[in-house]
Amino acid sequence: MKSSQFKIRARQAVGDADLRSKIKKATGISLLKREQVVSEIADWEDLRRRAHELRKETVDNIDSYLRRFIESARRNNAIVHEADDHKTANKIIYDIIRRVSAHTVVKSKSMITEELHLNTMLEENGIRVIETDLGEYIVQLAGETPSHITAPALHKSKEDIARLFHEKLNIPYSDDPVKLTAVARERLRDEFLKARVGITGVNFATADTGTLTIVENEANARLCTTLPEVHIAIMSIEKIIPSFDDLPLFLKLLPRSASGQRMTSYVTCINGPRSYHNPDGPRQLHIVILDGGRKQLAKHPAWKEALYCIRCGACMNICPIYQSVGGHAYGSVYPGPIGSVITPTLFNMKDAQDLPFASSLCGACTDICPVKIDLHHHLLFERREIVNRGYKSSVEKIGMVLWRWIMLSPGRLEFAGRVGWFFRKLLGKNMPAPGWTPHRQFPRIPLRSFRSIMRSDKKHGK
Amino acid sequence: MENKLLYRFQSRIQESGGWCEISASGDGISDILNSKYMFEKEKIVISGRVAKELQLSGLPGMCIDEVKPNNRRALLSEAKLGVTFCDGLIAETGTVVLINHPSEPRELSLLPEYHVVIAKQTQLYESLDKCFTKIKQLYPAGSIPSITLVSGPSRTSDIEKTLVIGVHGPVEFGVIIIGSR
């Protein structure tokens, strides 16, 4: 799947009424629940500002915080690996698994492993990967990718899932979410008890104490970090926050923004593998830290803000474009407004050149972001960059030059208005405007222009 | 002040699908457990801290300290109810703070079908920052064990945003606070 096919996939999604209604329903419920728990916090704006400052502080000094985090984590007896790129990270992870001769790994939800295409790589090398988050389990059974960063199976109805479970797991058809969940619990519990390696992502890594914090509701991350002998935690460099003392602030913002909960059912703060201080848990804790172009991005005066993201998904839920096309259309691991900011700047601007245009620039994403990323302005600035790099077609360029030329003179604007009016009159409803008129009617152009009404009003002294 | 915190904690826990009862003394706890759960003694496993730190003995069930570490996982994956102590209660979010402890392994609050926490009213904090500040004072830097925050039963909304209780962790979560309203 590629971001370069955004337009094609978006058109398909918009035409799929069933998909649209599923997405609208799911995002609507999330927004409503969020509103309830955010409105009870009087100083929400203040918290957002503080969080923004802390994210800025970390990203501006990412090298020094990274050093500090690694030192603290090593003091906690964790084995820390640094990977400059995706390939290196995958190799490190594969080697750890091979060294303990494991053939199966249990895995909890993690966007960074999606970015690494870790499952594909491990499976190509003969290692069975079991996704244990219910949504991820569904998506994995279907052979798909997540369509939302916190609700991976958001694009599926319960009937879709019932059919999937019936076919893949050989169980009687049932579309009762309670029954479907019970099936997943039973199937996966055995895997947890047997697995020797657990893989998780990380939500926050605190530089002063080396603590890894994982936020979840199902307890699958708890199982992944408690039962197996080896825990591999994978994170990108920007997961770091300065101090353990900052954790309560982010734990106030993230669950409320992501799932409309005051706190998720479980938050696990890991301070190292089994040791004198830590009587249970895995014997080995590996932390794999991926750069993947982020250190470079952190130096950009504006786009570094993309690294402030704490992956709550609220900007997706509120975005009118996301609500219409869903996550898969973006063709990126990270969909929605933040995905449209990250994908071109972190991965490939040429491939993802359509994404910054997938926005009405309404600013709802910026307003809802718990760390105050100026999302819609970044989208606008990325558009300029895409034009400056010459990715736009010459037809569009000529069009824009012409537009500018017309808009700079009142006389030319009036003349252009008359030309438009003439063609509308001539062609009626068949006025062609590609990309628009196949789906909507061309608006009626009034008989008299605004300017001519103004002129005659003046003449009659109104 | 403490009463207000207690009341808020109780309603937060209930809102997230758990239950919370207040017991005037330690004596009432057996009764609460017996009225809710009718499992055989072998199916109930109790943290060693409950006896040590709450001076509570005679609860129905077996103490984890009496089980060899190598046998614990097998026992707990068959157990119905795990009973633990805790290291703090957060009123703002209805959260229980569990710090890793030799007599209170993480599996005890994770593998059994039901999880009940016994706590003292004096362990109530208004917010998470206050509790974390306290934890940092208790443990020297670099020696804080792992911490688990529990705010309700295991849950998911991954299928059409329908809330389902009990995915991979305990299907029921309850808190008994020794204190008075």
Side-chain angles (χ1 to χ4, degrees):
Chain A
M1 214 158 66
K2 273 191 162 176
S3 304
S4 54
Q5 286 154 1
F6 174 76
K7 282 183 179 166
I8 299 166
R9 274 191 307 265
R11 200 166 295 137
Q12 283 165 356
V14 168
D16 185 345
D18 189 38
L19 176 74
R20 284 176 62 179
S21 84
K22 283 184 272 190
I23 300 165
K24 275 255 157 67
K25 185 184 162 196
T27 52
I29 294 173
S30 300
L31 290 171
L32 199 71
K33 281 164 69 187
R34 176 198 167 271
E35 183 54 35
Q36 282 164 355
V37 293
V38 166
S39 60
E40 70 187 26
I41 298 198
D43 58 348
W44 183 255
E45 278 310 304
D46 224 37
L47 300 182
R48 290 176 73 209
R49 256 192 299 276
R50 272 173 54 205
H52 182 92
E53 284 310 311
L54 281 168
R55 297 301 292 137
K56 181 176 185 311
E57 159 72 21
T58 318
V59 170
D60 282 349
N61 304 291
I62 192 68
D63 286 322
S64 101
Y65 280 110
L66 185 61
R67 287 295 127 227
R68 228 182 294 174
F69 170 74
I70 292 172
E71 272 168 35
S72 310
R74 287 193 173 137
R75 217 183 308 127
N76 290 345
N77 296 317
I79 305 162
V80 182
H81 311 260
E82 283 183 275
D84 288 341
D85 54 36
H86 295 76
K87 216 176 141 194
T88 316
N90 278 338
K91 185 170 182 335
I92 292 168
I93 298 161
Y94 174 64
D95 286 344
I96 299 168
I97 299 168
R98 216 185 39 179
R99 224 172 294 137
V100 293
S101 323
H103 301 287
T104 307
V105 297
V106 284
K107 184 170 163 293
S108 76
K109 201 182 146 22
S110 146
M111 291 314 295
I112 197 75
T113 59
E114 297 289 337
E115 191 184 314
L116 291 170
H117 301 293
L118 180 69
N119 293 7
T120 315
M121 185 280 292
L122 289 179
E123 270 153 19
E124 279 168 8
N125 285 288
I127 290 162
R128 206 168 129 244
V129 183
I130 300 161
E131 289 287 353
T132 59
D133 171 87
L134 180 60
E136 291 280 353
Y137 182 62
I138 293 166
V139 167
Q140 191 185 34
L141 276 180
E144 295 174 0
T145 55
S147 66
H148 188 284
I149 61 168
T150 64
L154 180 134
H155 59 290
K156 285 196 150 2
S157 68
K158 58 180 195 291
E159 291 81 13
D160 297 338
I161 297 163
R163 269 192 300 275
L164 181 73
F165 275 35
H166 173 62
E167 281 164 24
K168 301 268 168 154
L169 301 175
N170 289 320
I171 54 156
Y173 180 94
S174 163
D175 61 12
D176 178 4
V178 177
K179 277 194 190 137
L180 294 168
T181 306
V183 170
R185 177 185 171 103
E186 199 197 302
R187 298 268 167 140
L188 292 170
R189 180 56 76 95
D190 270 351
E191 304 285 1
F192 279 122
L193 288 165
K194 281 190 297 200
R196 293 175 45 220
V197 177
I199 294 181
T200 70
V202 172
N203 289 99
F204 303 107
T206 50
D208 61 344
T209 56
T211 310
L212 302 175
T213 298
I214 303 170
V215 176
E216 56 147 353
N217 275 309
E218 296 183 4
N220 60 318
R222 283 184 75 191
L223 288 160
C224 285
T225 58
T226 304
L227 300 183
E229 286 162 49
V230 178
H231 170 205
I232 308 174
I234 307 167
M235 57 180 270
S236 46
I237 54 170
E238 84 276 19
K239 292 286 153 183
I240 297 173
I241 56 172
S243 164
F244 188 69
D245 300 330
D246 302 323
L247 201 50
L249 168 69
F250 287 103
L251 288 177
K252 214 167 170 172
L253 291 167
L254 178 61
R256 283 181 161 87
S257 300
S259 52
Q261 292 172 280
R262 293 189 184 93
M263 191 66 89
T264 50
S265 284
Y266 306 113
V267 174
T268 308
C269 307
I270 296 162
N271 282 317
R274 192 183 298 201
S275 67
Y276 176 72
H277 301 299
N278 261 323
D280 59 316
R283 292 187 188 280
Q284 258 181 45
L285 167 62
H286 293 268
I287 306 175
V288 181
I289 309 175
L290 171 73
D291 172 1
R294 286 164 171 85
K295 280 184 191 161
Q296 200 54 40
L297 187 58
K299 290 184 190 130
H300 192 285
W303 295 340
K304 65 179 185 186
E305 273 203 13
L307 299 172
Y308 297 1
C309 176
I310 56 171
R311 306 278 187 266
C312 70
C315 62
M316 291 157 212
N317 296 336
I318 204 151
C319 176
I321 309 295
Y322 182 92
Q323 288 173 6
S324 305
V325 303
H328 286 151
Y330 292 81
S332 167
V333 173
Y334 307 105
I338 185 66
S340 299
V341 172
I342 291 179
T343 311
T345 50
L346 193 59
F347 304 132
N348 187 330
M349 189 161 283
K350 190 158 191 205
D351 272 357
Q353 57 174 290
D354 287 331
L355 298 185
F357 294 86
S359 165
S360 62
L361 300 180
C362 67
C365 47
T366 304
D367 288 343
I368 207 167
C369 176
V371 293
K372 273 180 109 78
I373 301 174
D374 198 353
L375 288 157
H376 69 297
H377 279 107
H378 290 308
L379 291 174
L380 194 61
F381 297 142
E382 281 179 19
R383 290 182 186 186
R384 186 169 60 196
E385 178 71 18
I386 284 158
V387 171
N388 286 346
R389 289 194 189 186
Y391 295 155
K392 285 289 162 193
S393 72
S394 42
V395 176
E396 196 173 327
K397 264 183 234 161
I398 294 164
M400 282 297 167
V401 170
L402 197 67
W403 173 257
R404 182 170 186 273
W405 181 73
I406 291 169
M407 292 304 281
L408 281 173
S409 138
R412 290 198 287 263
L413 179 62
E414 183 162 13
F415 178 73
R418 277 205 211 120
V419 172
W421 180 83
F422 172 76
F423 277 109
R424 172 74 170 96
K425 189 92 178 157
L426 195 72
L427 298 166
K429 280 179 185 166
N430 302 320
M431 181 91 168
W436 187 10
T437 41
H439 306 285
R440 297 174 200 81
Q441 244 174 40
F442 201 87
R444 187 177 286 280
I445 296 182
L447 282 171
R448 289 182 65 200
S449 73
F450 178 72
R451 289 157 163 274
S452 89
I453 295 171
M454 281 295 285
R455 262 198 301 271
S456 67
D457 279 2
K458 244 188 214 155
K459 216 185 280 173
H460 295 104
K462 280 185 193 167
Chain B
M1 181 59 189
E2 267 196 11
N3 278 348
K4 213 172 119 192
L5 289 186
L6 185 62
Y7 179 74
R8 193 181 313 152
F9 179 84
Q10 197 174 19
S11 51
R12 291 289 190 246
I13 282 275
Q14 285 160 353
E15 280 166 50
S16 49
W19 57 262
C20 178
E21 297 216 0
I22 319 290
S23 174
S25 73
D27 302 338
I29 289 174
S30 285
D31 291 342
I32 295 176
L33 287 177
N34 285 329
S35 72
K36 287 189 182 285
Y37 305 107
M38 287 192 297
F39 303 130
E40 300 147 48
K41 196 170 177 273
E42 307 82 75
K43 297 281 180 191
I44 302 177
V45 185
I46 299 167
S47 146
R49 294 176 80 197
V50 172
K52 270 177 250 164
E53 302 196 31
L54 288 167
Q55 271 87 48
L56 274 181
S57 49
L59 291 182
M62 57 201 298
C63 180
I64 191 87
D65 287 342
E66 291 159 17
V67 185
K68 280 192 198 134
N70 286 343
N71 300 338
R72 286 181 182 177
R73 187 166 296 176
L75 175 85
L76 287 169
S77 41
E78 292 300 313
K80 284 282 181 190
L81 171 64
V83 181
T84 67
F85 182 54
C86 74
D87 299 274
L89 306 168
I90 315 300
E92 185 181 64
T93 50
T95 300
V96 171
V97 181
L98 301 168
I99 298 184
N100 239 17
H101 192 279
S103 297
E104 202 168 273
R106 282 189 251 175
E107 283 108 316
L108 181 54
S109 58
L110 181 59
L111 294 178
E113 250 180 276
Y114 302 86
H115 174 209
V116 172
V117 173
I118 303 175
K120 293 184 282 192
Q121 194 171 353
T122 50
Q123 291 181 298
L124 269 166
Y125 296 87
E126 197 182 333
S127 61
L128 191 60
D129 356 359
K130 293 193 172 133
C131 180
F132 273 9
T133 309
K134 184 80 186 181
I135 290 173
K136 278 182 78 175
Q137 286 167 1
L138 289 176
Y139 294 89
S143 72
I144 307 175
S146 294
I147 303 169
T148 307
L149 312 180
V150 183
S151 308
S154 160
R155 60 161 68 206
T156 184
S157 301
D158 275 346
I159 303 177
E160 285 197 1
K161 293 278 156 191
T162 311
L163 176 66
V164 178
I165 299 288
V167 196
H168 297 299
V171 299
E172 197 176 293
F173 173 63
V175 183
I176 304 172
I177 302 175
I178 305 169
S180 59
R181 233 193 287 217

